[in-house]
């Protein structure tokens, strides 16, 4: 079977979660659980989303005396499997059903029939759930008493359901997305399961589990019966080989925050202690500034026009200048009027800002709005909820902004051009006693950027994303620069031309002086940043090429 997916396959995957497991990973995981599962006469083994049977093939080789149940919502997949596995040596029950629905009666009656639940559940985001699945999740949330709002992806429901179906001596072993450790609902499910399992191991690899898709994966192994207790990260070279891991015991209640804790396996102990101490002694960005996402138009391709289009329609009085993330190509931490002049030559950067009712508008504008209606834009959820669907709510301009997503490193910029922002950026509202220049100057150093790596989340492609809350939670040592210092700061960025090392050389120098850190301590922080950043970016190229994220 080929693991190279076509674009059609990618679209299908979003709704079915059908990325089949490389047999070498199934083999490694089955070998691992074989060693830890308590001895029993006839083990009851469940694969909740069997797909093409990668695990079943391995299981039947290793667990020759045991009983299998395999479930999949896809009847074609089950039929194919029945056809392929004509005469299994062990009895297999094949079930075509939604696994969450299948789990409901067991959870209701608190029967825990399985000794081992193993597999690769589908990774389907909430906005791609079918109506049936949404309804089932609603029931599941009530029966399992697990909050519906925290079931934002199908894998989370599969994990909770598996934990409720496994026996009091059993094992759950699932391939899960890396976001288990980075998103809030992933950390919450781990917190809950940490009370239900005696021991949890999460295998994190340097190499990518599914080479041709953006999703990065980890392996979760929960044991209900074990002599050692706790939640451990096992850092391995690849998920094909689960032996000889580097092991780190997690403390979910750590004062330094869960973000740092989930990255602690990448950091030496001394660095970790130093970071915890500094984190405890620093104010966070929240102390200096508020932040809020920019404008949501609900149809950027319609509402944001090129200068030439605005001129052709003669609607100059109905537009305001706006910056889209993809347009910002400058190395500098400052967005100037000259930068905007460059962008307006070729990119759409004027947002329709219509306050009046349709009847009072120019003919050209009325015609343009009608074109939008022909494309059914007025039926989109956000547009429907406006008094006039074409009146986009405007978020005020701020003196600076931060891009929600970044590749090489996150950036705070001065809004010298006084443009508006789309929701790919957060506007920065400076609090009394501080300045946007001070915030910008104080942001670019190894300490703040390291916490940006650990507080945010990254996707399979390695794109770093921070929510407004995560951004405001970053520790920041504030320095109000003199005019001379700020000029030098801008020059350093200009000369660096996006080279993060050169930018950090500048930022770390004043940070070291300000915090009176030794050379060794400064090196520890810088190396810590390199380590977590390299881990994020370790296999990101494909995604950046597709999305043009820099
Ligand atoms: C990631 S694939 C894993 C396949 C298989 N476990 C393996 O490793 O080869 C996910 C599978 O989940 C199935 N699936 C999707 N939603 C499901 C649901 N609600 N219940 C059961 N199976 C589901 C898909 O049909 C697909 O076969």
């Amino acid at each position: 079977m080929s693991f190279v997916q076509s674009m059609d396959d990618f679209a299908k995957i979003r709704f079915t979660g059908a990325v089949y497991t490389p047999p070498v990973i199934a083999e490694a995981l089955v070998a691992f659980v074989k060693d830890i599962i308590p001895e029993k006469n006839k083990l009851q083994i469940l694969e909740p989303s069997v797909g093409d049977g990668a695990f079943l093939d391995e299981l039947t080789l290793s667990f020759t005396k045991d009983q299998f149940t395999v479930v999949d919502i896809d009847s074609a997949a089950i039929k194919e499997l029945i056809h392929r596995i004509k005469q299994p040596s062990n009895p297999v029950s094949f079930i075509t059903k939604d696994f969450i629905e299948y789990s409901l009666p067991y959870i209701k009656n608190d029967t825990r029939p399985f000794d081992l639940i193993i597999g690769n559940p589908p990774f389907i985001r909430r906005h791609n759930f079918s109506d049936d699945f949404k309804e089932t999740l609603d029931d599941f949330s009530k029966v399992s008493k697990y909050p519906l709002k925290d079931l934002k992806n199908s894998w989370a429901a599969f994990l909770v359901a598996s934990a409720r179906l496994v026996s009091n001596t059993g094992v759950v072993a699932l391939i899960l997305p890396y976001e288990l450790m980075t998103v809030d609902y992933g950390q919450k499910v781990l917190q809950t399961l940490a009370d239900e399992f005696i021991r949890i191991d999460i295998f994190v690899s340097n190499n990518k589990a599914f080479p041709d898709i953006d999703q990065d994966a980890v392996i979760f192994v929960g044991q209900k019966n074990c002599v050692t207790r706790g939640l451990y990260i096992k850092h391995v070279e690849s998920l094909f080989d689960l032996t000889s891991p580097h092991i780190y015991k997690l403390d979910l209640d750590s004062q330094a925050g869960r973000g740092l804790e989930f990255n602690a396996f990448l950091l030496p102990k001394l660095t970790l202690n130093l970071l915890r101490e500094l984190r405890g002694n620093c104010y966070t960005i929240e102390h200096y500034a508020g932040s809020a996402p920019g404008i949501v138009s609900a149809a950027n391709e319609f509402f944001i026009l090129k200068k030439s289009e605005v001129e052709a329609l003669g609607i100059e009085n109905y537009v305001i200048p706006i910056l889209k993330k993809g347009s910002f190509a400058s190395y500098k931490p400052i967005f100037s009027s000259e930068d905007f002049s460059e962008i307006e030559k070729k990119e759409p950067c004027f947002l329709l800002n219509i306050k009046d009712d349709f009847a009072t508008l120019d003919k050209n504008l009325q015609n343009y709005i009608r074109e939008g209606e022909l494309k059914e834009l007025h039926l989109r959820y956000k547009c429907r909820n406006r008094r006039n669907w074409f009146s986009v709510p405007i978020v005020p301009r701020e003196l600076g902004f931060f891009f929600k997503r970044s590749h090489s490193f996150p950036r705070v910029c001065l809004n010298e051009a006084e443009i508006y922002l789309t929701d790919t950026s957060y506007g920065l509202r400076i609090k009394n006693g501080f300045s946007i220049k001070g915030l910008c100057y104080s942001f670019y150093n190894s300490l703040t950027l390291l916490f940006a790596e650990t507080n945010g989340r990254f996707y399979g492609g390695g794109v770093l994303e921070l929510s407004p809350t995560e951004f405001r939670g970053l520790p920041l040592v504030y320095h109000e620069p003199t005019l001379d210092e700020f000029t030098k700061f801008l020059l350093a960025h200009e000369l660096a031309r996006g080279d993060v090392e050169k930018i950090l050389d500048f930022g770390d120098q004043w940070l070291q002086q300000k915090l009176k850190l030794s050379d060794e301590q400064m090196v520890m922080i810088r190396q810590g940043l390199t380590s977590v950043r390299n881990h994020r970016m370790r296999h990101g190229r494909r995604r950046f090429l597709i999305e043009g994220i820099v």
Side-chain angles (χ1 to χ4, degrees), residues 16-17 19-21 47 49-52 72-73 98-99 120 122 158:
T16 62
V19 179
Y20 291 152
T21 313
E47 196 182 343
S49 54
V50 65
D52 70 345
D72 203 289
I73 199 165
D98 167 5
F99 169 63
N120 178 3
F158 271 64

Side-chain angles (χ1 to χ4, degrees), residues 478-497:
Y478 189 86
H479 178 71
E480 188 64 59
T482 61
L483 191 59
D484 184 44
E485 283 171 328
F486 197 72
T487 308
K488 285 185 177 140
F489 164 77
L490 289 184
L491 186 65
H493 275 254
E494 206 163 328
L495 293 175
R497 298 185 64 77

Side-chain angles (χ1 to χ4, degrees), residues 401-424:
F401 56 86
F402 172 80
F403 287 117
K404 171 176 163 180
R405 288 177 161 201
S406 58
H407 169 210
S408 187
F409 58 96
R411 301 171 71 177
V412 165
C413 289
L414 264 61
N415 184 8
E416 207 181 65
E418 296 186 14
I419 33 89
Y420 291 82
L421 305 165
T422 64
D423 62 341
T424 53

